[in-house]
Amino acid sequence: MDFDLAQIDTVLGTTRAVRKRLDLERPVPDQVLWDCIDLAEQAPTGGDLASRRWLIIRDATVKAALAELYREAGGSMIMGAADKVRGTGHPREGVLTSGGYLAEVFERVPAYVLVTIWGAHDGSGNPGLFDSVVQAAWSFCLAARSRGLGTAWTTMHLSRKQQVAELLRLPDGVTQIVLLPVAYTIGTEFGRAARRPASDITFLDRWGHTTDRPSADAQHHLDDGPGLTVEIDVDAPPAAVWALVTDVTVPARFSGELQTAEWVDGAGPAVGSRFVGTNEMEGFGRWQTTCTVVRCDDERCFAWAVGDVDSPGATWRFELEPLGFGGRQTRLRQHVTIGPGFSGTAGMIRKEPEREQQVLAWRRKALRTAMDRTVAGIKALAEGREP
């Protein structure tokens, strides 16, 4: 059977969390919801156990009570946060104002679908619980999208799950998974969200091993832009972490390979600025490199090219991601791409091309040690601890 990949990809790529564009006035027929549930029930089921149960909620009194529980569980907090950031350009303004809107109009949504399953999660890993219901719930969202309906994945009510269970008369032994607001959408055109590309978040054979381009033969090659990523969560806001990653002397303090670094002509972190790094490695001696800043997005990304900007020996970057609604924590990511220009690694591969896989594995191993030390040291400093 030939599938229309363009249509399938559109559904998969544009099934958004819809809140502000839910049509609160247009009713949603039972048959449409049942059709979506029938499709969702085709999802894989662990142990072939028919344990999923679906509850459609339309009653105005029940929705009003559920709305109060939702706002108590955190909806009111999000509404307040949305008021504070509205119109400020805050990086989380969109999600906060969207979430705040849903909390505000909660009881006006035409229908809610509560996805549940028989069983209590005991951490045993036995099939038949979360591994058998989340994929079905998402299939429901996809089926709804293909019919012009919008949904949003909400779990905030779970902090009031006992009260919700009493309100809905759920029997003991039933676990609530997700509550989905369902309505026709105002307009049907939705774009793809900004997401990290597969090359950034897909690792090959070992955790953190990346390539900029997919390999033609499933091997690791210098021409594909091999790299390495390490990540760590820091209990400090992005501003504190940013001050450390843009101080080029800080990575030199921890990595063990980069010995010293200093800005050229007193420059600072800005695109086009340069700094000189002095490196040392057993078996290779000491050498210096001139690095040029190629990206400097405030509190987001700081990147530099080693050597020739157009064909660097390596490109390094620190990326910062605020965690939580308050942005009081930061996920710090350090990444390096080896090549495509000349470097010691490239020289070894050109000298012995038959050993390319071994050379890249050796280089990544050495880089991981240095990068793990670096992000751990930055974390300690940002959190006010001695590294």
Side-chain angles (χ1 to χ4, degrees):
M1 177 186 294
D2 292 331
F3 293 96
D4 187 332
L5 292 183
Q7 287 191 339
I8 293 173
D9 289 355
T10 296
V11 172
L12 291 171
T14 63
T15 301
R16 302 267 67 78
V18 184
R19 302 180 185 94
K20 291 182 178 179
R21 290 176 59 183
L22 295 174
D23 189 334
L24 304 177
E25 306 301 327
R26 183 179 175 185
V28 179
D30 276 346
Q31 187 61 59
V32 175
L33 296 176
W34 287 13
D35 289 345
C36 293
I37 292 171
D38 279 336
L39 285 168
E41 277 295 311
Q42 293 299 310
T45 301
D48 199 27
L49 299 175
S51 300
R52 294 180 290 245
R53 296 295 183 269
W54 307 74
L55 179 59
I56 298 172
I57 304 164
R58 296 184 184 277
D59 183 272
T61 302
V62 175
K63 285 195 296 182
L66 196 57
E68 286 303 309
L69 291 172
Y70 186 83
R71 288 189 276 263
E72 288 176 12
S76 294
M77 179 191 68
I78 295 178
M79 290 167 63
D83 288 339
K84 290 180 180 179
V85 302
R86 188 174 284 108
T88 66
H90 188 279
R92 299 189 67 83
E93 179 182 355
V95 69
L96 286 171
T97 55
S98 177
Y101 175 79
L102 178 61
E104 181 181 350
V105 303
F106 194 96
E107 55 267 67
R108 296 177 56 198
V109 175
Y112 278 88
V113 174
L114 178 66
V115 190
T116 72
I117 195 163
W118 276 104
H121 199 318
D122 60 2
S124 66
N126 292 325
L129 197 64
F130 294 98
D131 49 350
S132 295
V133 67
V134 171
Q135 67 270 41
W138 187 243
S139 289
F140 176 92
C141 296
L142 295 170
R145 162 67 177 143
S146 70
R147 287 159 174 76
L149 299 167
T151 60
W153 194 276
T154 64
T155 56
M156 190 178 301
H157 72 287
L158 293 178
S159 67
R160 298 290 188 277
K161 62 184 177 183
Q162 187 57 44
Q163 294 96 314
V164 172
E166 292 171 0
L167 172 67
L168 303 177
R169 299 180 183 175
L170 304 183
D172 293 341
V174 169
T175 298
Q176 303 169 50
I177 305 300
V178 63
L179 183 65
L180 303 170
V182 184
Y184 283 101
T185 59
I186 300 172
T188 58
E189 295 301 316
F190 292 86
R192 293 197 176 199
R195 299 284 192 251
R196 302 182 67 83
S199 58
D200 278 5
I201 59 174
T202 305
F203 304 142
L204 307 171
D205 296 322
R206 298 288 188 279
W207 187 267
H209 290 196
T210 64
T211 61
D212 287 349
R213 294 167 292 280
S215 170
D217 60 1
Q219 297 292 313
H220 299 240
H221 299 291
L222 183 63
D223 290 342
D224 294 328
L228 185 71
T229 295
V230 299
E231 297 176 287
I232 198 167
D233 287 350
V234 183
D235 189 17
V241 181
W242 180 254
L244 295 170
V245 301
T246 55
D247 179 349
V248 294
T249 66
V250 172
R253 177 178 171 183
F254 300 113
S255 74
E257 183 174 310
L258 178 64
Q259 299 297 307
T260 63
E262 58 182 12
W263 291 105
V264 174
D265 299 327
V271 173
S273 295
R274 295 180 299 148
F275 64 90
V276 174
T278 301
N279 303 266
E280 185 172 3
M281 185 184 298
E282 185 176 351
F284 288 84
R286 292 171 66 90
W287 71 96
Q288 283 192 326
T289 56
T290 298
C291 305
T292 305
V293 177
V294 294
R295 187 172 172 185
C296 190
D297 302 335
D298 191 37
E299 297 186 13
R300 288 290 182 178
C301 181
F302 179 61
W304 65 92
V306 179
D308 187 346
V309 172
D310 295 324
S311 184
T315 302
W316 292 82
R317 68 176 183 264
F318 283 110
E319 296 175 323
L320 283 64
E321 180 182 353
L323 299 178
F325 287 125
R328 290 184 291 272
Q329 291 83 37
T330 307
R331 178 158 297 151
L332 173 62
R333 182 181 300 110
Q334 186 180 24
H335 177 81
V336 61
T337 297
I338 304 168
F342 181 77
S343 66
T345 304
M348 293 172 65
I349 291 173
R350 289 167 186 163
K351 184 178 180 180
E352 300 180 83
E354 71 281 0
R355 296 186 61 243
E356 183 175 39
Q357 306 299 306
Q358 296 94 312
V359 171
L360 288 175
W362 164 83
R363 184 57 179 143
R364 279 172 163 148
K365 183 178 180 180
L367 286 168
R368 177 178 291 282
T369 299
M371 292 164 70
D372 281 342
R373 283 198 301 253
T374 299
V375 296
I378 292 171
K379 172 183 170 71
L381 289 178
E383 294 177 350
R385 298 182 289 106
E386 278 298 314

